[in-house]
Amino acid sequence: MEHLFCKRVKKLKASEIREILKLTQRPEIISFAGGLPAPEMFPVEAYKQMAIKVLDEMGMEALQYSTTEGYDPLREKIAARMGNCGISAEKQDILITNGSQQGLDFTGKIFINPGDYVLCESPSYLGAINAFRAYECEFQEVDTDSDGMVMESLELAIQEHPKAKFIYVIPDFQNPSGRTWSKERRIKLVEIANRYNLVIIEDNPYGELRYEGEAIPAIKSFDTEGRVVYLGTFSKTFSPGLRIGWVCASPLLLNKYITVKQGADLQASSISQRELNAYLENYDFDAHIGSIINTYKKRRDLMLSEMDKTFPKAAVYEIPKGGLFAWVMLPEEIDAKEIMVTAVENKVAFVPGGSFFPNGGKENSMRLNFSNMPEEKIIEGIGRLGKILSELM
Amino acid sequence: MEHLFCKRVKKLKASEIREILKLTQRPEIISFAGGLPAPEMFPVEAYKQMAIKVLDEMGMEALQYSTTEGYDPLREKIAARMGNCGISAEKQDILITNGSQQGLDFTGKIFINPGDYVLCESPSYLGAINAFRAYECEFQEVDTDSDGMVMESLELAIQEHPKAKFIYVIPDFQNPSGRTWSKERRIKLVEIANRYNLVIIEDNPYGELRYEGEAIPAIKSFDTEGRVVYLGTFSKTFSPGLRIGWVCASPLLLNKYITVKQGADLQASSISQRELNAYLENYDFDAHIGSIINTYKKRRDLMLSEMDKTFPKAAVYEIPKGGLFAWVMLPEEIDAKEIMVTAVENKVAFVPGGSFFPNGGKENSMRLNFSNMPEEKIIEGIGRLGKILSELM
């Protein structure tokens, strides 16, 4: 029956991260793979109270079909929160999705014809690469430095691929590199997109988790022509198990996302949207994010200091000012996939960096998650990794 | 920016049903449009107890990421329930989706190359037509009679479109026609699919809501070569607001659905899956379905008898033995879209049948939902419609 599969899925393979996650779910493994929040930070009791409240006050409505766009009071609250990163938005600019991953899938579905080039940071988020690849695109990776994407390289890439539709970026605490774009680069990116008539996909799952320095306004806050699509999520600040994210975009673009959502699964969960809305009404969400930041900052600091102690000097990293990940560059001749095999034998796991380069060929990096493991396991796990690396380098 | 949209979405339009639903959400309208369950049948109190139980017993796990395939205990229970329609399945044959609409979208994504023909019943479910159309297919409608799809017409259609990949059918209480396939047709369909090496997509959202007669085994129960993909959902028997459905298929096919689910939105809601699983463990789901059947059967009987009283003789229908819909055929010269305009002026709504014929050209039918409106509104609404029809015919 395999001949019945269409072209787009013949190329698809299961996400390496998902496969690794399965491997690392064994309880004896200290896992820095995956991008899981710390479950002990989930507001379980508050969520229970809100589930009771919603089912008591609007149970029938919460279990019924509702509109594709999403629950209006939640859309309003999200629109208002967009002000935190400098974006002026209203309810009608917001579509509720099943996490921001669904926004990525819809982006592929809306823009990509087979053979189209997607312009992205090098490295970039594996989940986005897989979502776009399902629509048979090619990737043009654009160089990045510690201020974000290099704009001269971007212009060259656009000129090389004049039929590219959009530029996909994660400007805050990027997955996997942990890097954050400067304000100047953000402004420049919008200017370039305007000039070449391109769309920008701004994926911002981590922006609210900043551990030092001043927040930088979102790229969409500099959008003058309604060409930036902003993807947000509650997965890292509230709960990923709910699957609630959103798209914020101008009407011309958002309408396409809404139409695609209709065909894809009609709507996001009526009940989860109402529970989350009730939480935002009745609890101090910013204080909750503050407590997540406290915990993750400690874990980041601990991971970095343990790396300083145990990793060989040739393994280098930049300090991630927020988010969930540390990104470690190894000497060019080292293949992190091989290190991963030894690591799992030693009951510690990470994601080899090669997966984050859509065109491959760069195997000398490791992505380490610091949000999910408690402190004693960070010490133990980084120690084990340090030992493996020291024997190799 | 419109030139940046890809070919597949340039053709897409918003679902007419969704647009009509918006119109008919005004409380003064008696709506037989949409396919909404009766909200007063939702097990609100039981669901609240299960939300409390899940959050108390496994709150952190319920709010965390989990596997793409779905929550194992729920997959097991679904696999066991498949026995009710004669299907022998195990946990690993089940993928949890966001309602069966997502299974339809994935079907399009997995099988359809642009220009491919989809073989379907004439008429067929509008949501499936829209989901498939997003992957740039064409449709070959196949004649149906009161025993289901006419097999001779199907063979001719297959011979006319030798590159068709799958046959899409709703064999139980079809949406929109309310018709149910005979056992002989089901067996014959599998035989034809085997012979021509095609996949069958069996969409069965209504099968458990039978008001008279004996249940007929699912098409998948006759599947000898693992080529039937069965789509199920809890939307009509439990709650559509949860967005929990499933795909049941053999490993070769199911693995593609799992890979596509990863890229589309990673996984279904961790918490909703656990709540539903707890409900199935702690309550009598079959008794609950029994009470839905009692209510809907009364509403169906009432709607049909009111149609007998008030509709002109030239408006004809078959008795739907289950499901949510009555399907009324009008004389050929009547355009139900025009009737809908007058109906909404008279504060009653239905879905004009033309939308259910993917190739168009058949406007003389109406789909009437009998599950959602209480009995006094069925009497009043059918009376209003009868008056409008009598003035026209």
Side-chain angles (χ1 to χ4, degrees), chain B residues 8 15 30 47 49 52-53 95 116 137 139 143 158 186 207 221 241 245-246 285-286 297 322 334 365 371 377-378:
Chain B
R8 77 176 70 79
S15 153
I30 296 177
Y47 196 77
Q49 294 310 322
I52 294 168
K53 186 179 170 69
L95 164 69
D116 278 356
C137 65
F139 292 91
D143 298 336
I158 294 171
R186 295 172 194 236
S221 75
W246 69 92
F285 185 41
D286 290 317
K297 180 181 190 309
I334 303 275
S365 54
S371 60
K377 292 208 172 174
I378 291 177

Side-chain angles (χ1 to χ4, degrees), chain B residues 194-308:
Chain B
N194 285 348
R195 183 144 37 92
Y196 289 95
N197 200 0
L198 293 167
V199 165
I200 297 167
I201 308 296
E202 178 177 25
D203 188 8
N204 191 13
Y206 317 108
E208 296 189 274
L209 302 179
R210 172 177 280 277
Y211 313 133
E212 58 191 68
E214 290 268 309
I216 303 170
I219 293 170
K220 182 151 184 65
S221 75
F222 305 110
D223 186 11
T224 49
E225 300 181 356
R227 59 175 70 249
V228 182
V229 175
Y230 179 101
L231 305 180
T233 181
F234 288 98
S235 290
K236 306 305 188 286
T237 51
F238 187 80
S239 150
L242 286 192
R243 314 303 306 129
I244 301 287
W246 69 92
V247 178
C248 174
S250 57
L252 174 75
L253 296 173
L254 196 73
N255 281 338
K256 288 291 176 195
Y257 283 85
I258 294 168
T259 305
V260 164
K261 174 83 178 159
Q262 283 180 359
D265 61 3
L266 304 181
Q267 57 160 106
S269 161
S270 304
I271 185 165
S272 299
Q273 291 186 73
R274 280 161 183 79
E275 288 165 343
L276 180 56
N277 179 67
Y279 174 85
L280 296 174
E281 260 169 22
N282 291 281
Y283 291 82
D284 185 342
F285 185 41
D286 290 317
H288 174 64
I289 293 175
S291 70
I292 294 175
I293 288 174
N294 277 342
T295 300
Y296 290 4
K297 180 181 190 309
K298 273 186 219 144
R299 292 182 181 185
R300 178 200 67 164
D301 292 345
L302 181 64
M303 180 176 274
L304 298 183
S305 70
E306 292 301 309
M307 285 178 3
D308 289 342

Side-chain angles (χ1 to χ4, degrees), chain B residues 68-70 75 91-97 106 245-248 254 257-258 261:
Chain B
T68 300
E69 291 84 344
R75 296 168 76 203
K91 181 188 82 177
Q92 60 268 26
D93 304 319
I94 307 292
L95 164 69
I96 309 291
T97 56
F106 291 173
W246 69 92
V247 178
C248 174
L254 196 73
Y257 283 85
I258 294 168
K261 174 83 178 159

Side-chain angles (χ1 to χ4, degrees), chain B residues 122-388:
Chain B
S122 179
S124 187
Y125 168 52
L126 177 55
I129 296 169
N130 285 336
F132 299 154
R133 190 167 270 153
Y135 298 96
E136 300 175 79
C137 65
E138 306 289 334
F139 292 91
Q140 176 66 51
E141 300 176 31
V142 181
D143 298 336
T144 56
D145 62 23
S146 53
D147 282 336
M149 198 180 253
V150 177
M151 291 295 115
E152 294 71 27
S153 304
L154 174 64
E155 281 210 61
L156 287 175
I158 294 171
Q159 286 158 10
E160 197 181 336
H161 303 291
K163 281 167 57 185
K165 307 290 188 57
F166 63 84
I167 308 156
Y168 169 70
V169 297
I170 309 154
D172 289 86
F173 323 125
Q174 201 237 16
N175 181 358
S177 71
R179 283 171 166 173
T180 296
W181 290 39
S182 68
K183 186 176 167 185
E184 293 64 34
R185 291 277 173 90
R186 295 172 194 236
I187 293 170
K188 182 78 181 171
L189 178 69
V190 172
E191 186 199 306
I192 290 175
N194 285 348
R195 183 144 37 92
Y196 289 95
N197 200 0
L198 293 167
V199 165
I200 297 167
I201 308 296
E202 178 177 25
D203 188 8
N204 191 13
Y206 317 108
E208 296 189 274
L209 302 179
R210 172 177 280 277
Y211 313 133
E212 58 191 68
E214 290 268 309
I216 303 170
I219 293 170
K220 182 151 184 65
S221 75
F222 305 110
D223 186 11
T224 49
E225 300 181 356
R227 59 175 70 249
V228 182
V229 175
Y230 179 101
L231 305 180
T233 181
F234 288 98
S235 290
K236 306 305 188 286
T237 51
F238 187 80
S239 150
L242 286 192
R243 314 303 306 129
I244 301 287
W246 69 92
V247 178
C248 174
S250 57
L252 174 75
L253 296 173
L254 196 73
N255 281 338
K256 288 291 176 195
Y257 283 85
I258 294 168
T259 305
V260 164
K261 174 83 178 159
Q262 283 180 359
D265 61 3
L266 304 181
Q267 57 160 106
S269 161
S270 304
I271 185 165
S272 299
Q273 291 186 73
R274 280 161 183 79
E275 288 165 343
L276 180 56
N277 179 67
Y279 174 85
L280 296 174
E281 260 169 22
N282 291 281
Y283 291 82
D284 185 342
F285 185 41
D286 290 317
H288 174 64
I289 293 175
S291 70
I292 294 175
I293 288 174
N294 277 342
T295 300
Y296 290 4
K297 180 181 190 309
K298 273 186 219 144
R299 292 182 181 185
R300 178 200 67 164
D301 292 345
L302 181 64
M303 180 176 274
L304 298 183
S305 70
E306 292 301 309
M307 285 178 3
D308 289 342
K309 279 186 215 161
T310 69
F311 278 22
K313 287 284 162 288
V316 295
Y317 66 87
E318 290 172 38
I319 296 173
K321 290 184 175 146
L324 308 186
F325 303 110
W327 176 250
V328 180
M329 291 295 299
L330 306 170
E332 248 179 56
E333 68 278 9
I334 303 275
D335 184 339
K337 287 202 306 293
E338 291 172 17
I339 298 176
M340 178 66 177
V341 175
T342 317
V344 171
E345 285 166 10
N346 286 277
K347 300 193 170 40
V348 56
F350 62 90
V351 182
S355 316
F356 300 98
F357 296 91
N359 296 332
K362 289 179 183 167
E363 302 296 348
N364 57 322
S365 54
M366 309 160 61
R367 193 193 73 175
L368 300 174
N369 168 272
F370 53 75
S371 60
N372 186 246
M373 284 287 130
E375 301 186 9
E376 67 281 6
K377 292 208 172 174
I378 291 177
I379 297 173
E380 175 62 29
I382 293 296
R384 289 184 201 167
L385 272 182
K387 192 152 168 281
I388 295 165

Side-chain angles (χ1 to χ4, degrees), chain A residues 1-15 18-19 22 25 35-45 47-49 51-53 55-56 59-69 98 101-105 108-114 116 125 127 130-131 134-136 164-165 196-199 225-227 235-236 238-243 250 252-253 256 259-272 275 372, chain B residues 1-15 18-19 22 25 35-45 47-48 51-53 55-56 59-69 98 101-105 108-114 116 125 127 130-131 134-136 164-165 196-199 225-227 235-236 238-243 250 252-253 256 259-272 275 372:
Chain A
M1 262 171 298
E2 280 167 32
H3 71 288
L4 297 176
F5 295 135
C6 68
K7 281 181 220 148
R8 78 177 69 80
V9 301
K10 280 183 181 157
K11 295 186 204 170
L12 277 188
K13 46 183 185 176
S15 152
R18 280 269 141 188
E19 298 307 309
K22 273 188 203 168
Q25 271 168 354
L36 278 65
E40 63 273 25
M41 302 304 299
F42 294 150
V44 174
E45 182 58 32
Y47 196 77
K48 186 176 88 178
Q49 295 308 323
I52 294 169
K53 185 178 170 70
L55 286 158
D56 279 346
M60 288 197 280
E61 177 189 310
L63 295 175
Q64 185 59 289
Y65 283 115
S66 53
T67 57
T68 300
E69 290 83 345
N98 304 334
Q101 184 69 29
Q102 189 172 50
L104 294 168
D105 176 51
K109 195 164 182 177
I110 290 168
F111 293 106
I112 299 174
N113 286 318
D116 278 355
Y125 168 52
N130 284 337
Y135 298 96
E136 300 174 79
K165 309 290 187 57
Y196 290 95
N197 200 0
L198 292 167
V199 165
E225 301 181 356
R227 60 174 71 249
S235 291
K236 305 305 188 284
F238 188 81
S239 150
L242 287 192
R243 313 305 303 126
S250 57
L252 173 75
L253 297 173
K256 288 291 177 195
T259 305
V260 164
K261 174 82 179 161
Q262 282 181 359
D265 61 4
L266 304 182
Q267 57 160 107
S269 161
S270 304
I271 186 164
S272 299
E275 288 164 343
N372 185 244
Chain B
M1 263 170 297
E2 280 168 30
H3 71 287
L4 297 176
F5 295 135
C6 68
K7 281 182 220 149
R8 77 176 70 79
V9 300
K10 281 183 181 156
K11 294 185 203 171
L12 276 189
K13 45 182 187 177
S15 153
R18 280 268 142 187
E19 297 308 309
K22 274 190 203 167
Q25 271 168 356
L36 277 65
E40 62 273 25
M41 303 304 298
F42 294 151
V44 174
E45 181 58 31
Y47 196 77
K48 186 176 88 177
I52 294 168
K53 186 179 170 69
L55 286 158
D56 279 345
M60 289 197 280
E61 176 187 312
L63 295 175
Q64 185 60 288
Y65 283 114
S66 55
T67 57
T68 300
E69 291 84 344
N98 304 335
Q101 184 69 30
Q102 190 172 50
L104 294 170
D105 176 51
K109 195 164 183 177
I110 290 168
F111 294 106
I112 300 173
N113 286 318
D116 278 356
Y125 168 52
N130 285 336
Y135 298 96
E136 300 175 79
K165 307 290 188 57
Y196 289 95
N197 200 0
L198 293 167
V199 165
E225 300 181 356
R227 59 175 70 249
S235 290
K236 306 305 188 286
F238 187 80
S239 150
L242 286 192
R243 314 303 306 129
S250 57
L252 174 75
L253 296 173
K256 288 291 176 195
T259 305
V260 164
K261 174 83 178 159
Q262 283 180 359
D265 61 3
L266 304 181
Q267 57 160 106
S269 161
S270 304
I271 185 165
S272 299
E275 288 165 343
N372 186 246

Side-chain angles (χ1 to χ4, degrees), chain A residues 13 22 64 77 117 125 190 253 300 307 309 341 355 380:
Chain A
K13 46 183 185 176
K22 273 188 203 168
Q64 185 59 289
K77 288 183 186 64
Y117 271 80
Y125 168 52
V190 172
L253 297 173
R300 178 201 66 164
M307 284 175 8
K309 280 188 217 160
V341 175
S355 317
E380 175 63 28

